[in-house]
Amino acid sequence: QVQLVESGGGLVQAGGSLRLTCVASGRLLVGSRYPMGWFRQAPGKEREFVGTIDWSGGNTVYGDSVKGRFTISRDNAKNTAYLQMNSLKPEDTAVYHCAAAFYAPSGLQTTTRGYDYWGQGTQVTVSS
């Protein structure tokens, strides 16, 4: 089993920045080389892909709505992934979830089906 805990959400004005953190724990982490992803879900909408990063940190994929504004990174020694969000817009308001992929086929996954473990999420609210 794997547990994921997000933090760093909050209220920010449009144009501002936030950095989200996701800490992973659990026995399954030992010896595993797992990609991590970020998704978000606004009220009444489906969960949306934000971005993903491979184990090495050298490969990332982003959703079209956040390209050029958001950056994903990770620190494997700390079992932690980060989502740096810049130039925030009111439409970025959502609950942000991190996820870990252990059983997906090779390659970075951009849909929820590609991930096996999820965090509870952290609320990000961007005011206009």
Side-chain angles (χ1 to χ4, degrees):
Q1 289 288 338
V2 174
Q3 293 77 44
L4 302 173
V5 178
E6 304 94 337
S7 62
L11 174 64
V12 64
Q13 288 187 334
S17 298
L18 280 176
R19 188 176 82 153
L20 306 185
T21 299
C22 174
V23 179
S25 62
R27 293 184 178 183
L28 194 58
L29 299 183
V30 178
S32 296
R33 301 169 66 86
Y34 53 97
M36 295 190 75
W38 286 94
F39 289 76
R40 66 187 183 185
Q41 190 163 19
K45 294 187 177 181
E46 293 187 353
R47 195 163 291 192
E48 177 190 11
F49 171 72
V50 173
T52 183
I53 187 168
D54 68 356
W55 170 255
S56 73
N59 294 292
T60 55
V61 176
Y62 296 95
D64 289 341
S65 60
V66 306
K67 280 180 183 176
R69 300 188 297 123
F70 291 11
T71 303
I72 297 176
S73 59
R74 66 189 296 166
D75 182 342
N76 292 331
K78 297 181 179 179
N79 294 325
T80 299
Y82 305 96
L83 178 65
Q84 178 66 44
M85 305 185 295
N86 298 329
S87 302
L88 283 162
K89 305 175 182 179
E91 51 263 46
D92 294 319
T93 296
V95 176
Y96 283 71
H97 299 267
C98 67
F102 284 81
Y103 308 114
S106 61
L108 293 175
Q109 304 297 313
T110 62
T111 68
T112 57
R113 290 180 298 175
Y115 293 86
D116 309 293
Y117 298 96
W118 293 83
Q120 290 297 311
T122 185
Q123 175 71 45
V124 172
T125 303
V126 184
S127 63
S128 57

